[in-house]
Amino acid sequence: MSDEKNLDSLFNGFSKLDYQDRLERLRDAGLIVEDDMAFLADGGVKDIVLSENFIENAIGYFQLPLGVATHFRIDGVDRFVPMAVEETSIIAAASKTAKWIKENGEIKTSVMGSEIIGQIQLARVGDFTKFESLIERNKSHFIEMANREVVPSLVARGGGVRSIQVRKLVRPDGLFMGIVHVYMDPCEAMGANLINQVCEFLKNPIQELTGEKVTMCILSNLVDSKVTNAHIKIKVDAELGEKIEEASLFAELDPYRAATNNKGILNGIDPIVIATGNDWRAVEAGMHAYVARTGHYTSLSRWRYQGGLLQGQLNSPIIMGTVGGVTRLHPTSKLALKILNVESSNDLSRVCAAVGLTQNLGALRALTTVGIIEGHMKLHIKNLSMGAGATDSEIPILQKKLEQILVMRKRITLSNAVEALREIRAPQQ
Ligand code: MEV
């Protein structure tokens, strides 16, 4: 992992700094250089040719705000965490909760397993017993062939195809479907293209050996063979600890609540996945499938309170790459990886798990105490002011007025903002 230096002096007061000072703090942390500062200040990537290389029919870029969450101390290492996200309260809540944890507890992470999964489907297998035993007897040969022909450079880096497993599914018509699972260590890549190539390569040898027909090949996003864990311990009073445990039980027992709880966790994870050029749809699909794998969709996190200590766990596949895809091609994701200062794709997954669980803790703390509106709407007031049509000079005046309304009425809407703006403008009309 990165240099183990304490970044407290650079974290403190970060949100109160103006734009240039924020960039200077990142430079002082040794995370960016003058060229990066100029790139960011100029609005990031604009090169249309690059977008044409990424996608078909490109007409431009969709720019999301990019920020950094502060105060994250993960496995003893201080990090600024780059997050690309439009939701106003996410980075503020992540930073505030990370600071609270740093001062009263700790965040530890780990990754269990190293292999991603590819699937080869044989929709109708005539003689399943024969099919299974042929694959079992020849799997070392298939593994050796795929490593030699398709992913030799992965093998050279210490990865490659490790094992093959046959699964049997009973179809609605009573026949058997055969699924061949291919397990591969993708090293620093997320590995989607590599595992898909391995599976497609194995299609013909499997057909020739078994006489059965392969119907499709694709990776699985339910990667239960590579699971990232985050664990938070924090000293809290019994009242808060018990409230958060109750909130956790709610999400563990009720899929309606679990969906929202997990969305809150993904509030912390998706912005990092996006900022680093990774596939957020794959991460989302994998995480949701993982917590539904028993047939009951449940919470990604679990919080328990005992003897002054609140402890939270998150276990989930969070498959990320630091090479491959657009991670190193998109200038902003390259820069985000530099700011995050991670050395491996596992480190990146661990940061995601840590931020996701932290975000969850922040949400549960707010939900079980002051409610979500107070913090959320305070930050959302600026959006409402802009939405109401306030000009740059009117925004601070309208914001102040809306803050007063929020304190008085405990809620605020766009029509309040429109009405308040009308009142501000009234004397001049
Ligand atoms: C809002 O973006 C996220 C929350 O709904 C998460 C939660 O309910 O735990 C606040």
Side-chain angles (χ1 to χ4, degrees):
M1 286 228 179
S2 61
D3 293 344
E4 307 228 348
K5 59 183 174 203
N6 182 314
L7 296 182
D8 278 347
S9 62
L10 298 171
F11 288 152
N12 288 335
F14 196 86
S15 64
K16 305 278 180 302
L17 298 175
D18 67 22
Y19 178 67
Q20 192 58 30
D21 290 341
R22 290 200 288 274
L23 295 185
E24 281 169 20
R25 285 264 178 112
L26 293 180
R27 187 198 53 200
D28 294 348
L31 299 171
I32 59 174
V33 295
E34 296 290 331
D35 280 355
D36 302 323
M37 292 164 81
F39 169 79
L40 288 168
D42 193 37
V45 61
K46 297 205 176 94
D47 179 1
I48 195 66
V49 178
L50 189 66
S51 74
E52 284 179 333
N53 288 336
F54 291 154
I55 59 165
E56 197 172 17
N57 299 349
I59 56 165
Y61 288 93
F62 182 89
Q63 307 279 22
L64 277 174
L66 175 71
V68 284
T70 52
H71 292 289
F72 272 94
R73 182 164 296 158
I74 304 169
D75 300 309
V77 178
D78 283 2
R79 291 183 190 284
F80 281 97
V81 180
M83 300 175 87
V85 68
E86 89 301 344
E87 194 174 321
T88 316
S89 56
I90 288 178
I91 295 182
S95 306
K96 183 175 162 201
T97 315
K99 185 163 190 269
W100 180 45
I101 299 170
K102 189 174 60 173
E103 287 163 359
N104 298 282
E106 61 177 23
I107 312 176
K108 292 246 186 276
T109 65
S110 60
V111 177
M112 292 157 288
S114 59
E115 290 147 21
I116 59 168
I117 303 172
Q119 298 196 290
I120 302 171
Q121 183 214 27
L122 297 95
R124 285 186 185 76
V125 175
D127 183 343
F128 200 91
T129 312
K130 183 172 152 226
F131 167 74
E132 188 171 25
S133 92
L134 279 171
I135 299 283
E136 283 298 331
R137 272 189 276 135
N138 287 277
K139 65 185 183 190
S140 318
H141 170 59
F142 285 155
I143 293 169
E144 188 268 318
M145 216 165 43
N147 279 334
R148 188 183 63 237
E149 301 293 329
V150 192
V151 286
S153 57
L154 207 52
V155 175
R157 295 201 300 275
V161 181
R162 293 270 157 76
S163 63
I164 284 179
Q165 203 185 66
V166 177
R167 295 174 57 231
K168 180 185 193 176
L169 303 180
V170 182
R171 303 164 45 93
D173 57 12
L175 300 176
F176 295 125
M177 185 182 293
I179 312 294
V180 179
H181 269 197
V182 180
Y183 293 87
M184 185 189 83
D185 180 346
C187 295
E188 292 315 306
M190 183 256 188
N193 290 331
L194 293 172
I195 190 77
N196 288 338
Q197 287 177 66
V198 165
C199 291
E200 287 190 8
F201 169 82
L202 289 174
K203 174 180 172 176
N204 282 341
I206 288 176
Q207 292 187 150
E208 279 158 23
L209 175 76
T210 63
E212 304 285 354
K213 186 160 172 43
V214 169
T215 34
M216 65 178 265
C217 305
I218 190 70
L219 87 166
S220 171
N221 288 122
L222 174 51
V223 195
D224 54 3
S225 45
K226 184 174 179 184
V227 172
T228 305
N229 168 267
H231 182 197
I232 292 177
K233 271 190 206 169
I234 181 166
K235 281 190 227 125
V236 296
D237 62 47
E239 192 188 349
L240 180 62
E242 280 159 16
K243 279 179 175 172
I244 290 179
E245 179 169 330
E246 289 303 327
S248 178
L249 276 173
F250 182 10
E252 289 163 43
L253 295 171
D254 179 13
Y256 289 90
R257 170 59 201 151
T260 323
N261 179 77
N262 295 346
K263 188 272 181 184
I265 292 173
L266 286 157
N267 274 349
I269 296 179
D270 277 350
I272 310 172
V273 184
I274 294 170
T276 57
N278 274 279
D279 183 345
W280 71 93
R281 287 89 53 210
V283 170
E284 291 246 359
M287 293 184 74
H288 288 299
Y290 188 73
V291 281
R293 70 196 187 290
T294 59
H296 168 83
Y297 181 79
T298 183
S299 174
L300 281 159
S301 62
R302 186 177 193 276
W303 293 94
R304 291 293 180 269
Y305 173 78
Q306 203 181 20
L309 203 60
L310 177 68
Q311 301 204 50
Q313 287 278 354
L314 178 144
N315 283 303
S316 193
I318 307 177
I319 307 300
M320 303 280 284
T322 52
V323 299
V326 303
T327 50
R328 301 275 166 191
L329 298 176
H330 194 301
T332 315
S333 51
K334 216 164 117 186
L335 186 54
L337 280 168
K338 198 160 99 172
I339 293 171
L340 200 46
N341 202 12
V342 285
E343 279 167 13
S344 67
S345 58
N346 277 1
D347 284 356
L348 187 50
S349 303
R350 290 161 64 172
V351 168
C352 285
V355 179
L357 191 59
T358 300
Q359 198 85 38
N360 181 227
L361 178 59
L364 297 186
R365 184 193 195 189
L367 288 168
T368 57
T369 54
V370 291
I372 206 68
I373 292 300
E374 191 180 286
H376 207 76
M377 291 315 282
K378 249 191 228 158
L379 291 161
H380 194 55
I381 276 177
K382 193 158 187 185
N383 291 351
L384 287 180
S385 306
M386 289 190 291
T391 60
D392 283 354
S393 60
E394 288 167 335
I395 285 176
I397 309 164
L398 182 56
Q399 258 178 274
K400 204 163 247 147
K401 211 169 161 64
L402 294 178
E403 274 163 22
Q404 287 161 357
I405 296 175
L406 182 63
V407 170
M408 266 168 5
R409 300 191 202 158
K410 302 273 173 241
R411 61 180 164 268
I412 199 151
T413 62
L414 183 61
S415 36
N416 296 136
V418 171
E419 197 182 312
L421 183 60
R422 209 177 294 135
E423 282 167 22
I424 291 169
R425 286 177 178 172
Q428 287 120 44
Q429 282 168 356

